[in-house]
Amino acid sequence: MRWQDLRRSSNVEDRRGMSGGGKVALGGIGVIIVVAIGLLTGQDPQEILSNIQGAQTEQAESRPAGPRPDDKTADFVSAVLGSTEDVWTQIYAQNNAEYEKPVLQMFSNATQSACGGASSAMGPFYCPADHKVYIDLTFCDELRDRFNAPGEFAVAYVVAHEVGHHVQNLMGISQQVQEQRRNLSEADYNKLSVKLELQADFLAGVWANHANQMNKILEPGDLESALTAANAIGDDKLQKESQGYVVPDAFTHGTSQQRMYWFKKGFETGDLAQGRFQDIR
């Protein structure tokens, strides 16, 4: 992926090396990513957040002086976030609207969000309450080593997916889904959760389409890298690996095939009208 010349986002909070209860440190080589829902879990995100809420109460610790081994990854994530800002600002402007940029917080091990306590075990997520994306950069290594999805563009896809949740939040889609929750069975609500995730994959594809037009970011193999990541984190694949069988009613993110399909559709069309929530299947 050609990312070195991309603009770095200034909308980052760098908490790497700080404890979960400390004061947020702004600036630095920032990092990215937003959104709502442990990318790698099959549980309801609100329940996850509730279970670990309040777990971080320690005092802030000083960050060791000098460069960190993950500084290049932080720089990369900040560049991808900057690219999402440029793309969505342009798309919103074309529709006579103004894009509200999310903040991305990089953290180590655990942090506190407006949605509650957050741990690195959740994977990258977006919190609608504070419009922030949260990521522990060790996830980038996990994506490569645990999920066999190497490549920088695999990480870019994950960041763009979380930003996709932010776009859904700005459009009011997330709230509409949440308002239906009390009237639905768990299985029916899970179906709406799947649609949210698949649309976020579609929006990540839309970003990739426009970013490539703007900055020629793609190199041979990049699209395959993103599709490999989408395949690796499908509900069916994760359930099969963790418990040996698949429970479709428990899906919250969509199958590997669905995730690949909608990311690719967004990438191939670059057209928001092709991924309306009611059309996601």
Side-chain angles (χ1 to χ4, degrees), residues 226-264:
L227 291 173
T228 297
N231 176 69
I233 54 181
D235 281 325
D236 53 341
K237 187 176 181 67
L238 292 176
Q239 286 186 0
K240 184 71 173 177
E241 291 177 351
S242 65
Q243 61 192 24
Y245 57 92
V246 174
V247 184
D249 282 349
F251 287 175
T252 58
H253 288 66
T255 66
S256 296
Q257 183 177 4
Q258 287 175 311
R259 303 201 69 168
M260 290 189 292
Y261 173 84
W262 284 105
F263 172 80
K264 193 172 182 180

Side-chain angles (χ1 to χ4, degrees), residues 184-194 248-252:
L184 297 174
S185 66
E186 182 177 358
D188 286 339
Y189 179 75
N190 284 346
K191 293 177 182 178
L192 291 183
S193 177
V194 167
D249 282 349
F251 287 175
T252 58

Side-chain angles (χ1 to χ4, degrees), residues 10 19 64-66 103 135 168 190 276:
S10 60
S19 63
V103 170
I135 185 171
Q168 291 172 318
N190 284 346
R276 294 178 301 176

Side-chain angles (χ1 to χ4, degrees), residues 12 70 161 195 214 221 228 248 270:
V12 298
D70 57 359
H161 171 96
K195 287 166 71 75
M214 294 170 71
T228 297

Side-chain angles (χ1 to χ4, degrees), residues 5-40:
D5 293 333
L6 293 176
R7 180 185 64 82
R8 275 48 167 177
S9 173
S10 60
N11 294 301
V12 298
E13 295 175 350
D14 187 353
R15 287 182 58 91
R16 292 175 298 158
M18 299 178 66
S19 63
K23 183 178 180 180
V24 173
L26 299 176
I29 298 177
V31 182
I32 151 190
I33 280 90
V34 316
V35 68
I37 297 138
L39 189 62
L40 306 175

Side-chain angles (χ1 to χ4, degrees), residues 10 23 55 121 145 165 167 178 203 239 259:
S10 60
K23 183 178 180 180
D145 299 334
H165 283 304
V167 173
Q178 188 62 31
L203 295 173
Q239 286 186 0
R259 303 201 69 168

